[in-house]
Amino acid sequence: MPHQEKNIYASLISAALIFGIYFWYVFGMYQDGRFDGAEANSLIGKSILGLIIGGIIINIIMHIVINIVFAAVENDPKPSFVVDERDKLIELRALRVSYYVFGAGYVVSMIALAMGQTTFMVFNLIILSCAIATVTEALFQLALYRRGF
């Protein structure tokens, strides 16, 4: 399995972990009514900051773990880390699709804000569109690699 595909799988797993933990934690707090008071916007900001910092840490750890696991399973003494023009084009095409998905989600969240939704709901719509865009990008890259581009 090429190194790029391993990284895509690591990205998919880390995205599922990162956003799964975030939404589980935040909606648990929402059900407890912690976003109803005057400190709601501050708590939203702290939650998103935690998502960013935790996401970076989990993503780095997951890439390291996935590469170690694949190295042990494949028993390849000299893994290939060559990135050619095809890999860059696949990454750019997937990134473009990801931007479209995120842009559509952002527009939906602005429409929700214009229709009177809470700040909590709007920010979480933006985070959800980011999650969907991340997964879409990884799946699109996998599809392009499998198809042979």
Side-chain angles (χ1 to χ4, degrees):
M1 177 181 304
H3 178 70
Q4 291 79 9
E5 285 188 44
K6 295 174 197 173
N7 282 334
I8 294 168
Y9 285 121
S11 295
L12 276 172
I13 293 169
S14 64
L17 275 173
I18 292 165
F19 291 111
I21 291 170
Y22 172 79
F23 284 117
W24 176 74
Y25 178 73
V26 168
F27 282 108
M29 290 191 321
Y30 179 74
Q31 289 177 344
D32 293 341
R34 294 184 58 192
F35 290 104
D36 294 334
E39 296 291 318
N41 289 339
S42 174
L43 190 55
I44 292 169
K46 289 176 186 175
S47 299
I48 293 174
L49 186 60
L51 170 71
I52 293 169
I53 293 169
I56 291 169
I57 292 168
I58 289 173
N59 203 9
I60 290 170
I61 291 170
M62 191 56 60
H63 275 81
I64 292 169
V65 168
I66 291 291
N67 281 309
I68 289 171
V69 167
F70 275 116
V73 168
E74 293 176 349
N75 200 13
D76 189 8
K78 294 176 89 177
S80 173
F81 298 111
V82 178
V83 177
D84 59 3
E85 186 175 334
R86 176 181 157 256
D87 296 325
K88 290 178 184 178
L89 286 173
I90 287 174
E91 185 177 336
L92 286 173
R93 286 185 177 187
L95 192 60
R96 181 178 57 197
V97 170
S98 173
Y99 285 161
Y100 289 146
V101 170
F102 178 74
Y106 186 80
V107 169
V108 167
S109 66
M110 291 301 108
I111 291 170
L113 182 64
M115 295 180 72
Q117 287 294 324
T118 63
T119 307
F120 171 79
M121 194 56 67
V122 170
F123 273 110
N124 282 298
L125 281 172
I126 292 171
I127 297 298
L128 180 64
S129 66
C130 184
I132 294 170
T134 301
V135 171
T136 303
E137 177 183 1
L139 292 176
F140 197 74
Q141 277 182 323
L142 276 177
L144 288 175
Y145 275 115
R146 297 296 166 128
R147 191 176 77 185
F149 180 68

